[in-house]
Amino acid sequence: MVSAALGIGVITALMAFANMADRSALQREQQLLQNGFTGLLDEHARRPSAVALWDEAVKNLDLSFDHDWTESNIGQYLAGVQGFELAVVLDRTDQPIFAMLGDDSRAIGQVGSVLAASAPIVDNVREAERLRGPITDHLRKMDGQPPRIIYSTAVSNTDVGLLALTATLVQPDFGQSLPQTSRSAVLISGEVIDDDFLSDLARRYLLKQVHLGAPDAERIPGHAALMVRDSTRQPIAMIQWKPQRPGAEMLRMSMPLVLVALIALVILAMRYQHRGRQATQRLVQSEARVAHLAYHDPLTGLPNRLRLADHLDGAIELLRKDQRSFAVHCIDLDRFNEINDNFGQKAGDDLIREVSRLFSLCCGPHDLLARLGKDEFAIVQSGATPDGADALAARLIELAGKPVEIDAGRVFSGCTVGVALIDHPDVDAFECLRRADLALNMAKTSGRSGYAMYAPAMDGDLRQRLEIREDLREALAQGDLSVAYQPQVHQGGKLYGVEALVRWNHSARGHVPPSLFVPIAEEGGLIDKLGAFVLRRAFEDSKVLGNLRIAVNISAAQIRLPDFVPELELLVEETGVDTRRIELEITEGLLLGDDRTTEQTLGRLRDLGFRIALDDFGTGYSSLSYLQRYPIDKIKIDRSFISNLGTDSSADAVVNAIVRLARALRLDVIAEGVETEIQRVCLAAAGCDDIQGYLFGRPMPVLAIQAMMKDHAVPVAQETVRNLPVSAAAR
Ligand code: C2E
Ligand code: CA
Ligand code: CA
């Protein structure tokens, strides 16, 4: 548009310039014509002086009149030689004495209108004659030179036509004949002004197509006009000619060039504009890309945390306006890290993509699935009820619990979900996520692959957990923890081993059960220190426990630490413990999934001489294949089966089956949580020889174990019974 405007501007300016040039050219031509016309008249007017300024003429026109002489010397000279159409001689009284019109030398009767028209110029001549004074004086003054010509001209319309009339005073040139009086004869010459007359003018001034016409003649288009006026300033004729138009000419010549330049300019401008638009489009696209990147996760294309926050803002607004409640689900994959570590990052990415695809299948059209981090997802479930939220969480867990086929093979990761149902708009996006996240943490502490619904009480729990974590950090640093040992006996009552169980007697909280602070240590990154403390204690105490076998609990988070085995080796070296007397208790959860590292770690522990026991057997994902695949020496039947022995026949059946299974696989088997004689008898009947439980001894200080070893008896450690809080005792 700018270039088009520029083009129009340039053309308009050019046209204005051309117009101006044309106008000034026209003015110049008009001036030229005016001056030329006057000059031409003057030139014509001077020609009769050749005969009027002549001694002979004075003699033959004034002193005496000789018609024949006049005809041949005046009339024929003017008509034939000079091309005048008319010659009239007036005597000193201004009476015509000779008139020649064309060839007719006796035409006095036909020149009435000419005489009338000439009267003013004749008067002019007479006035000049008077002013000149006596001719003799004048001649004297001129000192041998001919006198000044006295003449007057006018253009006039007469019966003869448009005439250039000149009145010239007849004067002697050398003074050989002198006029009789102070008034001399006057010669009137006339020339018809026609196209011929003007063609001379046209030639001289390079004018084109010059025409003469009546003053009211029709104007020729494209022609300029000049009025010819008589002595009274009355228009008597009009000259028309085709003026030169240098501006138009210049325009005509330059226009193609200008147009080409303009077209080039427009094309250039269009190309620039096109490029500009492309650049803008690219910019917009890249901005959109950046905006998309800012709000989406590049791996899955799912909305990210930022976008989720926006969506939550919208959901809260909707809740405020329409009472439309919603639920926030925070989802954490249970075994992403293991899969990522074992199969590589590509497998991890594949898993994330596949899982996000599965999760998106659970979402309704108004729900939003977002990826918050490495293996964390969130769903905003719109219009959710408590039941609806429960259903979605359960469905997510079910889907994630199924094996997933990726390039690396078949994996299954499982997931844990925390749900926050938001039915009051008195929250912000951050709070919604915090609640769901808190619920997720709660779900994780009560085992993986489950879900928890946020409850306000969790906030208190969380605070308490944070406090406990900090206290535990301090306790670990100051050595406030201790280890108690619970006897393990054969059916006959012979003490053959102990289980090391960590104890924390908090100055303000009293006895803190390990079932509470061990998971906090796992979450809070303290499990390495806690684990190392128990191991060191157990290794050192083993020196005073004779041949007793010592079982030490190793949590999954601890065994997965990369430094676990090397540090264990160091500790073995440092304490000089006999590793064959140490039994490491692991849980089934560790074995879940196709984990090569776990297998290797367990193999190395075995190589170091440790025995490996599978704790809480029967509660997790007990799989026969684990027992075959991993290097396990012993299984520990979970307390939940033992407590029902003798009262629930199915419990007897399960215990029987486990014992037979262990036998078949040549594994040792022990029952834990044996509290009653009936339970002991049932276990004996089932063939379970090794037992552990309050029936034979509570966890007790190492000194108490030493005493027990001496007695070869199994007393109940009364002091630890008193110290035990209800929650631990109930476990
Ligand atoms: P666990 O490994 O199953 O340990 C057995 C738990 O059962 C102990 O609870 C023990 O006091 C209790 N118990 C033993 N006999 C009976 C009985 O006859 N009746 C009842 N009701 N309970 C009995 P504790 O010491 O409170 O430990 C709880 C859990 O904390 C342990 O379960 C273990 O998972 C964990 N834990 C304890 N010490 C350690 C440790 O040093 N390292 C790790 N990683 N975990 C530990
Ligand atoms: Ca244990
Ligand atoms: Ca156990």
Side-chain angles (χ1 to χ4, degrees):
M1 271 171 69
V2 169
S3 67
L6 203 73
I8 291 170
V10 165
I11 291 176
T12 314
L14 269 176
M15 277 163 60
F17 279 136
N19 205 14
M20 256 160 62
D22 285 355
R23 256 191 311 191
S24 69
L26 180 66
Q27 272 174 4
R28 210 175 47 247
E29 276 184 10
Q30 252 166 342
Q31 196 63 51
L32 218 60
L33 192 63
Q34 185 82 64
N35 294 345
F37 190 65
T38 325
L40 193 63
L41 285 183
D42 200 56
E43 214 173 276
H44 279 252
R46 285 169 174 277
R47 276 190 238 152
S49 64
V51 287
L53 208 63
W54 189 18
D55 290 345
E56 281 300 300
V58 175
K59 188 177 142 198
N60 292 298
L61 297 177
D62 184 50
L63 299 182
S64 62
F65 175 66
D66 183 338
H67 190 274
D68 291 344
W69 184 91
T70 307
E71 186 185 342
S72 59
N73 287 289
I74 303 288
Q76 277 168 14
Y77 170 76
L78 290 181
V81 181
Q82 299 288 359
F84 285 91
E85 275 82 9
L86 173 92
V88 177
V89 178
L90 302 181
D91 66 8
R92 69 176 72 92
T93 62
D94 293 343
Q95 287 305 307
I97 49 175
F98 175 85
M100 182 154 165
L101 191 59
D103 298 337
D104 185 0
S105 63
R106 295 187 181 278
I108 288 184
Q110 299 163 47
V111 296
S113 68
V114 173
L115 290 175
S118 309
I121 53 172
V122 172
D123 287 351
N124 291 346
V125 167
R126 288 293 178 216
E127 177 62 13
E129 186 180 28
R130 195 182 61 78
L131 290 172
R132 184 205 60 196
I135 185 69
T136 42
D137 296 357
H138 186 66
L139 281 174
R140 207 177 308 120
K141 234 186 268 170
M142 293 307 287
D143 194 19
Q145 293 289 309
R148 268 209 316 276
I149 314 165
I150 293 175
Y151 71 98
S152 177
T153 61
V155 180
S156 204
N157 233 341
T158 65
D159 295 349
V160 180
L162 187 66
L163 285 179
L165 286 169
T166 308
T168 315
L169 189 67
V170 177
Q171 295 180 94
D173 50 350
F174 295 110
Q176 281 157 11
S177 304
L178 292 169
Q180 280 180 35
T181 64
S182 59
R183 284 167 70 107
S184 189
V186 171
L187 176 62
I188 296 172
S189 55
E191 188 170 9
V192 175
I193 301 174
D194 52 10
D195 285 351
D196 257 9
F197 180 89
L198 288 176
S199 69
D200 190 19
L201 199 66
R203 215 175 311 111
R204 220 181 280 180
Y205 295 107
L206 300 169
L207 299 178
K208 280 189 209 143
Q209 301 177 32
V210 184
H211 301 286
L212 187 76
D216 53 356
E218 207 182 311
R219 300 287 294 265
I220 308 168
H223 277 49
L226 183 74
M227 266 320 163
V228 181
R229 296 169 195 277
D230 66 7
S231 53
T232 63
R233 308 258 341 123
Q234 280 300 99
I236 50 172
M238 181 169 62
I239 302 173
Q240 294 193 77
W241 79 101
K242 186 158 186 181
Q244 276 179 7
R245 301 185 58 194
E249 182 68 359
M250 175 200 75
L251 212 59
R252 193 181 63 78
M253 274 166 50
S254 60
M255 202 42 97
L257 217 75
V258 169
L259 281 178
V260 166
L262 280 180
I263 288 170
L265 191 74
V266 168
I267 290 174
L268 219 68
M270 275 161 67
R271 278 191 55 182
Y272 269 111
Q273 198 211 7
H274 181 67
R275 279 211 206 135
R277 194 179 300 152
Q278 276 184 334
T280 315
Q281 263 170 1
R282 274 198 296 274
L283 200 69
V284 167
Q285 277 170 356
S286 73
E287 258 175 26
R289 210 171 21 240
V290 169
H292 189 269
L293 276 181
Y295 282 99
H296 291 82
D297 158 48
L299 178 63
T300 57
L302 289 179
N304 63 11
R305 196 178 279 276
L306 220 61
R307 173 86 183 72
L308 176 80
D310 279 359
H311 185 86
L312 281 172
D313 287 341
I316 295 165
E317 196 49 44
L318 216 66
L319 172 59
R320 186 169 294 126
K321 277 195 294 197
D322 304 344
Q323 280 76 50
R324 201 175 156 77
S325 58
F326 62 95
V328 183
H329 299 249
C330 273
I331 310 157
D332 192 53
L333 299 189
D334 293 337
R335 273 168 295 279
F336 173 76
N337 279 348
E338 296 155 48
I339 292 165
N340 207 48
D341 292 349
N342 290 315
F343 298 99
Q345 202 192 328
K346 158 94 170 58
D349 288 355
D350 286 351
L351 175 69
I352 291 292
R353 266 194 293 264
E354 181 56 15
V355 165
S356 56
R357 189 186 69 81
L358 290 174
F359 287 166
S360 67
L361 297 178
C362 305
C363 292
H366 301 296
D367 300 349
L368 181 96
L369 169 64
R371 184 175 174 216
L372 302 187
K374 210 173 49 171
D375 58 344
E376 280 173 72
F377 296 84
I379 293 176
V380 180
Q381 184 185 13
S382 71
T385 59
D387 284 350
D390 272 339
L392 177 57
R395 174 106 183 93
L396 292 170
I397 287 162
E398 184 198 327
L399 271 180
K402 286 184 177 156
V404 169
E405 295 290 347
I406 57 171
D407 287 353
R410 174 182 257 223
V411 294
F412 81 107
S413 76
C415 75
T416 306
V417 183
V419 189
L421 189 75
I422 311 291
D423 47 13
H424 280 290
D426 57 349
V427 287
D428 57 10
F430 178 81
E431 175 62 12
C432 296
L433 270 175
R434 191 194 69 83
R435 289 184 185 177
D437 207 46
L438 182 56
L440 174 65
N441 274 319
M442 292 300 162
K444 277 189 198 163
T445 58
S446 37
R448 287 163 161 189
S449 294
Y451 71 91
M453 191 71 99
Y454 168 82
M458 285 180 179
D459 289 324
D461 289 0
L462 177 74
R463 208 171 313 116
Q464 199 199 3
R465 291 174 74 85
L466 289 177
E467 282 168 16
I468 289 176
R469 192 178 70 195
E470 289 322 301
D471 288 357
L472 181 62
R473 200 190 297 280
E474 216 175 287
L476 277 166
Q478 294 181 349
D480 286 351
L481 299 179
S482 61
V483 174
Y485 297 93
Q486 184 176 30
Q488 296 181 330
V489 300
H490 291 309
Q491 276 286 0
K494 182 176 168 23
L495 175 72
Y496 78 91
V498 290
E499 180 180 4
L501 294 159
V502 68
R503 289 292 175 264
W504 180 17
N505 206 352
H506 189 275
S507 55
R509 294 177 201 277
H511 176 80
V512 186
S515 54
L516 177 64
F517 70 83
V518 169
I520 291 175
E522 285 174 348
E523 270 168 44
L526 296 173
I527 194 64
D528 52 341
K529 289 203 180 66
L530 178 69
F533 163 76
V534 177
L535 280 167
R536 179 180 289 274
R537 262 269 69 78
F539 286 5
E540 264 158 12
D541 288 343
S542 76
K543 291 173 196 162
V544 298
L545 293 178
N547 285 329
L548 290 191
R549 194 180 281 163
I550 304 172
V552 181
N553 293 284
I554 307 290
S555 80
Q558 184 184 358
I559 210 167
R560 285 200 191 100
L561 291 171
D563 284 345
F564 176 69
V565 176
E567 277 180 7
L568 189 63
E569 282 172 329
L570 266 178
L571 199 61
V572 169
E573 218 171 292
E574 230 178 276
T575 54
V577 71
D578 178 3
T579 51
R580 288 167 305 173
R581 284 176 47 215
I582 306 293
E583 199 166 70
L584 302 178
E585 289 194 5
I586 59 168
T587 51
E588 286 168 308
L590 176 68
L591 308 178
L592 278 177
D594 265 345
D595 195 336
R596 296 237 341 114
T597 324
T598 307
E599 198 179 327
Q600 282 169 0
T601 307
L602 295 181
R604 284 183 68 188
L605 294 176
R606 253 290 197 67
D607 293 344
L608 287 171
F610 294 108
R611 284 168 53 89
I612 297 184
L614 200 50
D615 206 355
D616 303 340
F617 189 80
T619 55
Y621 299 82
S622 308
S623 159
L624 201 58
S625 70
Y626 295 152
L627 298 179
Q628 286 179 313
R629 177 171 167 188
Y630 295 102
I632 289 161
D633 302 283
K634 184 175 188 177
I635 52 180
K636 203 168 188 183
I637 307 171
D638 190 68
R639 204 176 70 223
S640 56
F641 300 106
I642 310 304
S643 52
N644 290 331
L645 280 178
T647 53
D648 180 352
S649 60
S650 68
D652 289 80
V654 170
V655 169
N656 267 300
I658 293 174
V659 174
R660 275 210 302 279
L661 176 72
R663 286 263 163 75
L665 294 172
R666 295 181 206 289
L667 300 175
D668 291 346
V669 61
I670 181 172
E672 65 176 343
V674 184
E675 293 180 350
T676 63
E677 190 53 30
I678 300 169
Q679 289 165 356
R680 189 193 63 78
V681 171
C682 286
L683 285 164
C688 181
D689 280 342
D690 300 343
I691 31 192
Q692 175 185 348
Y694 292 171
L695 184 63
F696 312 102
R698 300 219 169 208
M700 58 189 84
V702 68
L703 285 174
I705 297 288
Q706 279 179 299
M708 197 187 272
M709 283 162 65
K710 274 188 208 133
D711 295 354
H712 280 276
V714 191
V716 174
Q718 288 302 332
E719 84 280 54
T720 45
V721 175
R722 266 186 272 113
N723 283 345
L724 268 177
V726 184
S727 63
R731 199 171 175 244

